[in-house]
Every structure is written in structure tokens, then in C-alpha cells.
Amino acid sequence: MNKTDLLKSIIERLEIDLDMIQRAAQTAYETATAEENIAENKYDTLSLEASYLATGQARRMEEIRQACKAYQQLTMRDYDPERGIQISNLVQLEDAQGNQQLLFLGPEAAGLQIGTGPSKVTVITPRSPLGQQLLGKFEGDEITLVLGNGRQVQEVVSAW
């Protein structure tokens, strides 16, 4: 996976998400302010609900805008075997059963997935438990995640 192409894909996906949320927020705003939706009694809450929705969508829109800006300003760095895993590194993990996953340690947009199948990359941030554990780790290191009542050990197979 080429990190430059991955960065472009992340930015494109965030821009698409931003466009969709802007249209949804505009629709909710128009619903909230439409004259025909003015409350006629205390049980008529369509306008109020639409205004709550518009407010939430405006917040999400700003989060996506900030994430897009963070990725546009991101300096891509190669994995440094002296410093370990850092932001902008692509990391391949493998669990005890041989299942592998590709993770991109980014500044924002946790959970975003780019690609499909074995080349699927999931974006994580240093604020996540997994991201916190990966920072500063080296190829060959193991990390342990506590998931519910169980523990999952994964090895850093490679980083770039």
C-alpha cells in the first residue's frame, strides 16, 4: 500500500463525507425553520427535533472539516527504526491465529476504512487504546489489548 495514495484516499473520503453532512445539515436547518413546521401545541416537536439534528450535524461537519485540514497538512514520514511507530506510519499487525490487519496511525478520523479485503486499511489515532499502545513500538514488538473479559495479543509484523 502506497502511503501517498492512502493519504489522497483519506482526504477524498473526508471531502465526500463533508459534502454529504453539509447537505444533511442544510435539510435539517430548512426543516427546523420552515413556516409550516412551527409548533401548534406542546406536542408538535418536529421543528425542535430538526433543530437538534441540525446542531448535531453542524458539530459533525466541523469535526470532519478539522480532520480534512489535519490530513491536508500531514507530513508523511517513513517508519524510523530508532523512534518506533509514529503518526503517519502504516502498521501491519498479526494475532495468534494468523489474522492480519493494516492500520494507519493518523491525526484524526478514527475508524475510517479505506479499501477492501486484505488491502483494507483502518485509520486509528493516538487517542485510541490501540493507538496509544502502538506509539513508539518497533517491528517484532507485541501489544496486548483488553477486550471485555479477554485479552488479545498482537505482533507488529511490519511498519512503514
Side-chain angles (χ1 to χ4, degrees):
M1 169 69 57
N2 180 326
K3 288 194 324 182
T4 303
D5 290 341
L6 176 62
L7 180 61
K8 286 179 189 175
S9 294
I10 290 171
I11 292 170
E12 287 172 6
R13 177 74 173 278
L14 288 171
E15 287 172 345
I16 290 168
D17 289 353
L18 182 60
D19 181 56
M20 285 187 341
I21 196 77
Q22 283 175 326
R23 285 188 270 129
Q26 182 63 35
T27 300
Y29 172 78
E30 289 169 2
T31 301
T33 59
E35 192 170 314
E36 66 267 13
N37 291 333
I38 294 174
E40 295 176 6
N41 60 51
K42 68 180 183 178
Y43 301 108
D44 191 0
T45 61
L46 178 63
S47 178
L48 179 62
E49 292 168 6
S51 71
Y52 289 151
L53 180 60
T55 300
Q57 288 173 328
R59 280 191 205 112
R60 180 68 182 132
M61 191 169 53
E62 186 56 31
E63 289 172 1
I64 295 171
R65 187 177 285 121
Q66 291 298 321
C68 194
K69 184 177 178 180
Y71 279 100
Q72 289 167 342
Q73 296 174 350
L74 182 64
T75 301
M76 298 297 274
R77 293 186 174 90
D78 289 332
Y79 169 74
D80 181 351
E82 298 291 318
R83 296 180 63 207
I85 296 169
Q86 301 296 316
I87 288 180
S88 83
N89 287 164
L90 195 56
V91 180
Q92 184 174 19
L93 297 180
E94 184 174 334
D95 65 16
Q97 290 76 35
N99 300 316
Q100 295 186 347
Q101 62 178 329
L102 284 174
L103 304 172
F104 180 75
L105 191 58
E108 297 289 337
L112 185 68
Q113 295 184 337
I114 303 295
T116 58
S119 63
K120 178 176 74 174
V121 177
T122 303
V123 176
I124 63 170
T125 68
R127 293 183 299 277
S128 70
L130 180 55
Q132 288 173 3
Q133 284 202 33
L134 282 175
L135 276 177
K137 294 289 187 193
F138 301 94
E139 292 179 342
D141 283 354
E142 288 186 347
I143 57 168
T144 303
L145 291 175
V146 178
L147 304 170
N149 292 335
R151 298 165 56 92
Q152 186 178 43
V153 177
Q154 296 192 14
E155 178 184 347
V156 176
V157 175
S158 61
W160 59 101

